[in-house]
Amino acid sequence: MQKITTEALLTSYEGALKFSNPLTDTISTDQFSSEYPEQPEWAVGPFRKDDSLTFRQVHDWSDPTGIGWTADSIFNPSIMERDGKLYLFYRASPRKESVSSRIGVAVYDPETGWQDSPSNPAIYPTQDNEILGCEDPKVYQANGRYYMFYNGIWTIDRSDEQAGQDPDVYPLGDVGCDINVAVSDDLIHWEKLGLAVPYEVSRYWAKGAVIPRNAQGEAVKIGRHYLMYLSEGCGGTTHVGRSTDMVNWTFEPQEYLDLGPLGGSLHEVACAIVDDGGAGAVVEAGPGTKLVLDFFYGDASGHFSAAQALYDVDQPFTQKAVNRGGSLAWGGLLKFGGNWMFAQGWDAPKGSREMYFYRADQETIR
């Protein structure tokens, strides 16, 4: 693994400034979540934009790495409520979907509106496995604290192939992707704890620490453990992790999604939603509670698509139903103001640094 240096960070940043991907540049939230061909009662959504909550990042951050870093795009956020305020954790990049990303936080007070945290960036590269950036926060509340799982992106040393990657099954690329974890007591200041998914599991690429979360953003225990659904990487095999403390995890291969009724292939699970039954927060789910996985896949024609799958929590890997259409809320859905909502910045005009919020048409997951 390449050592983090100012020169290496500058090289990453300069490369990001030249990045462009015509395919991802045209992704729109509406193409996934504004309309579902069918609407079973368990599905979450469709969603409509709520313009009253739009966040605009108008000031550049100070750059603690000293390379002159700035961003022109914010996207792939997570949201959390605390004391009646909405906290937005977002990825900021020199170009949309480029490397050299940082993670920031903004706070919405219903009385005064949005304020970007003056201490941003909340998470930025300080470790060797973050040399190409810190991306895509997923935030959960548990055990009286807050936990952020985010992707650390780094340059692979070709000698790392000695650690067991099978080039015939899942070839090692030039870039590694880790799931790192950080903790906080106030949602503003974060302490990095390091790697959440070990290399013998990730095979140097793992994305998406999807942990079932209730309507208040709390991680929900299933069978006395927190579960983490891993869907991208890990040698091409889906895995599930278990933990009692949200920090130390054990993993094993586990199939849990059947795309047969839809056709196509899985890209990544976005989030997992647990039904609170309208009776308050569920932090340890019992039999009969509903679980919905919201995921990103390529359909039979190869087009980017979203869908949701239904489970009972007492059988969290046995799919009961699947429906096309989903939020692709990478950081999870939350109930704020009465119904399910999420945020995404894909539709912002180029260079505008705007984040839009989307609400479900009506109460869902009954």
Side-chain angles (χ1 to χ4, degrees), residues 229-244:
Y229 292 82
L230 297 181
S231 53
E232 182 179 329
C234 299
T237 300
T238 56
H239 281 65
V240 168
R242 289 178 171 82
S243 175
T244 58

Side-chain angles (χ1 to χ4, degrees), residues 152-195:
I153 312 298
W154 49 281
T155 303
I156 284 182
D157 181 341
R158 304 314 299 178
S159 66
D160 289 338
E161 288 188 279
Q162 303 302 313
Q165 186 79 323
D166 185 345
D168 296 325
V169 177
Y170 205 85
L172 198 67
D174 295 324
V175 174
C177 180
D178 289 338
I179 296 175
N180 293 338
V181 61
V183 295
S184 174
D185 293 315
D186 62 4
L187 291 172
I188 299 295
H189 304 93
W190 293 86
E191 176 190 359
K192 294 180 180 180
L193 299 184
L195 201 63

